[in-house]
Amino acid sequence: TMGKINAEKTIEFLNTRWNGAACPLCGGTEWTVTDKSFELREFNNGNLVLGGAKSSIVPVIPVTCSKCGNTVFINAIVANLLEE
């Protein structure tokens, strides 16, 4: 099963693509990243859907501005950051 995030690979990914991007809310340039992935679930009219063919779940890695808390999500599948 996939699901574990490789922290070193995540930092490498961000270093090659982030290019010193500033936070769009406050202009801060210091960011923190977690080595955990979280689930971004499809909205189902307020009903909790635990999985299956009728639901969509995207694993994301939050990257948070250290100054204001604005959070950007990196899609862990697209970024190829999930490990077995």
Side-chain angles (χ1 to χ4, degrees):
T1 62
M2 297 182 78
K4 184 155 178 59
I5 297 296
N6 180 319
E8 187 175 301
K9 192 173 176 182
T10 301
I11 297 298
E12 180 182 318
F13 172 84
L14 291 172
N15 283 338
T16 61
R17 290 170 177 82
W18 203 260
N19 298 322
C23 175
L25 294 181
C26 73
T29 56
E30 291 185 31
W31 300 85
T32 58
V33 63
T34 180
D35 62 350
K36 294 177 175 49
S37 63
F38 295 85
E39 295 177 350
L40 185 60
R41 295 178 174 272
E42 177 183 3
F43 178 71
N44 285 290
N45 296 320
N47 298 313
L48 179 61
V49 178
L50 297 177
K54 293 187 177 190
S55 70
S56 178
I57 299 172
V58 178
V60 294
I61 301 169
V63 181
T64 304
C65 174
S66 297
K67 186 175 178 183
C68 75
N70 180 37
T71 303
V72 176
F73 294 123
I74 304 298
N75 183 315
I77 294 173
V78 173
N80 195 30
L81 297 172
L82 292 178
E83 302 217 333
E84 293 187 35

